[in-house]
């Protein structure tokens, strides 16, 4: 039994940039790289195990063939997806369906509730989060008339902020934002507004207005997220959210901290600093941009160093 280190998959996007290379040293495919799929079992970009007995195996295959590593979960697919997003330009304004709607309309895909931890952003950065319409009628009318400034809510952000984005929430990352996203393992997006941008071939990207209007929550409510911090020996653990879909934490390790999770597998992403993870006399390097899974049954392990990790589990 070992921690499982993962090799990320990169996605080029019209809004992407080079921050994933600059910040994490990743070998990105181009200077329009928008997404690092860091811990993924999704068919559109599964990550590959890098070490140990399962080296070379994709995470979706490991999920199917070694269910004991995941506590013999009864879920059909690995439920989570961890990404790092470099919004070098504004992303399209979008919304995701819930499980029921996606199941019926998207070939059995999962819905998508997601959340963002802001690793870094430019000064005065913001996101689009929610809308001002009071009824579906009003929502439909403002979308059809293109009254985006009236409709969309802009929210200021700073490094360290956390946003919970339930399915049905209209949202967009905006220029100059680097986030770690924890989400349901789904790739279903309904695009509402794309700033009338054209791609390299001169084409507008497709919009999905009818489906979007179907699934947007009206009126918008901010999820009440109040992070709590628990101080243990050489680690401060921030709990951001514990929802039906996932729980997300940040671990600030300063020194040597010991952990044990007998019944739960964990997804770990190092977002700052460096150190080691030590398990049964084996030492593995952790550095900014390292992603790993702690399988069920690993037992006690230690993280030593000076680093921050975003941690999640279903
Ligand atoms: Zn989204």
């Amino acid at each position: 039994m070992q921690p499982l280190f993962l090799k990320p998959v990169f996605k080029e996007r019209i809004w992407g940039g080079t921050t994933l290379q600059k910040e994490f040293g990743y070998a990105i495919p181009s200077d329009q790289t928008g997404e690092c799929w860091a811990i993924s079992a999704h068919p559109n970009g599964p990550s590959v195990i890098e070490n140990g007995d399962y080296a070379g195996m994709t995470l979706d295959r490991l999920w199917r063939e070694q269910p004991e590593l995941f506590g013999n979960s009864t879920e059909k697919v690995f439920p989570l997806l961890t990404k790092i997003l470099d919004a070098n330009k504004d992303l399209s304004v979008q919304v995701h369906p819930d499980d029921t709607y996606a199941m019926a309309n998207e070939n059995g895909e999962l819905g998508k509730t997601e959340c963002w931890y802001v690793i870094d952003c430019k000064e005065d950065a913001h996101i689009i989060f929610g809308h001002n319409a009071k009824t579906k009628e009003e929502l439909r009318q403002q979308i059809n008339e293109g009254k985006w400034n009236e409709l969309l809510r802009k929210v200021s952000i700073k490094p360290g902020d956390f946003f919970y984005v339930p399915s049905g929430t209209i949202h967009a990352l905006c220029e100059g934002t680097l986030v770690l996203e924890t989400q349901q393992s789904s790739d279903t997006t309904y695009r509402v507004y794309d700033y009338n941008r054209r791609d390299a071939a001169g084409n507008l990207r497709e919009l999905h207005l009818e489906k979007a209007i179907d699934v947007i929550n009206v009126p918008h409510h901010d999820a009440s997220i109040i992070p709590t911090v628990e101080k243990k020996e050489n680690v401060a653990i921030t709990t951001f959210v514990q929802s039906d879909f996932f729980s997300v934490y940040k671990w600030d390790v300063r020194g040597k901290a010991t952990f044990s999770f007998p019944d739960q597998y964990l997804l770990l992403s190092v977002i700052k600093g460096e150190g080691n993870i030590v398990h049964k006399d084996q030492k593995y390097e952790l550095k900014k941009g390292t992603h790993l899974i702690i399988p069920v049954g690993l037992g006690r392990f230690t993280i030593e160093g000076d680093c921050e990790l975003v941690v999640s589990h279903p």
Side-chain angles (χ1 to χ4, degrees), residues 144-163:
N144 288 338
E145 292 174 4
K147 293 192 169 161
W148 304 111
N149 287 337
E150 279 167 58
L151 180 65
L152 301 175
R153 280 174 78 225
K154 268 188 186 183
V155 176
S156 297
I157 60 168
K158 58 182 188 320
D161 282 350
F162 180 87
F163 293 90

Side-chain angles (χ1 to χ4, degrees), residues 28-251:
I28 58 174
S30 79
D31 60 5
Q32 284 200 319
T33 302
E35 306 192 9
C36 163
W37 289 27
I39 305 178
S40 163
H42 195 280
N44 295 354
S47 22
V48 172
I49 314 299
E50 285 189 310
N51 65 309
D53 294 345
Y54 309 112
M57 203 186 262
T58 55
L59 181 55
D60 54 320
R61 194 175 144 207
L62 189 68
W63 173 263
R64 287 192 306 271
E65 295 184 5
Q66 306 291 335
E68 70 284 357
L69 299 177
F70 307 97
N72 295 306
S73 163
T74 53
E75 289 184 83
K76 214 173 89 211
V77 295
F78 184 80
L80 299 183
L81 175 50
T82 303
K83 294 182 184 176
I84 301 178
L85 305 176
D86 168 17
N88 185 47
K89 300 203 177 81
D90 294 343
L91 271 72
S92 62
V93 179
Q94 53 186 254
V95 63
H96 309 295
D98 64 12
D99 285 344
T100 310
Y101 192 93
M103 184 63 72
N105 295 282
E106 305 297 341
N107 301 319
E109 264 264 292
L110 289 177
K112 185 162 153 185
T113 284
E114 62 193 43
C115 65
W116 298 329
Y117 177 78
V118 180
I119 298 172
D120 200 8
C121 61
K122 66 172 193 180
E123 224 165 286
D124 303 323
H126 66 271
I127 56 172
I128 304 285
F129 192 70
H131 61 82
N132 296 311
K134 284 168 201 72
T135 63
K136 278 265 168 171
E137 271 16 64
E138 197 185 339
L139 176 79
R140 180 182 293 277
Q141 197 184 345
Q142 293 197 324
I143 287 177
N144 288 338
E145 292 174 4
K147 293 192 169 161
W148 304 111
N149 287 337
E150 279 167 58
L151 180 65
L152 301 175
R153 280 174 78 225
K154 268 188 186 183
V155 176
S156 297
I157 60 168
K158 58 182 188 320
D161 282 350
F162 180 87
F163 293 90
Y164 185 60
V165 189
S167 57
T169 306
I170 196 165
H171 64 276
L173 290 176
C174 299
E175 185 202 332
T177 309
L178 180 69
V179 309
L180 185 138
E181 179 176 81
T182 304
Q183 56 160 101
Q184 287 182 273
S185 183
S186 166
D187 205 14
T188 303
T189 293
Y190 301 146
R191 197 176 289 128
V192 181
Y193 175 50
D194 199 27
Y195 305 92
N196 303 312
R197 286 181 294 197
R198 291 177 188 276
D199 65 16
N203 299 312
L204 296 167
R205 293 198 293 174
E206 192 189 352
L207 302 179
H208 318 89
L209 296 181
E210 280 313 311
K211 284 180 171 175
I213 292 168
D214 272 353
V215 305
I216 292 171
N217 299 329
V218 184
H220 168 79
H221 286 294
D222 277 342
S224 64
I225 293 294
I226 301 162
T228 57
V229 183
E230 187 189 356
K231 294 219 156 82
K232 294 190 170 175
E233 199 181 351
N234 299 326
V235 59
I237 297 176
T238 305
T239 301
F240 290 117
V241 67
Q242 293 179 306
S243 81
D244 292 345
F245 304 104
F246 44 70
S247 297
V248 180
Y249 313 86
K250 184 157 70 82
W251 295 356

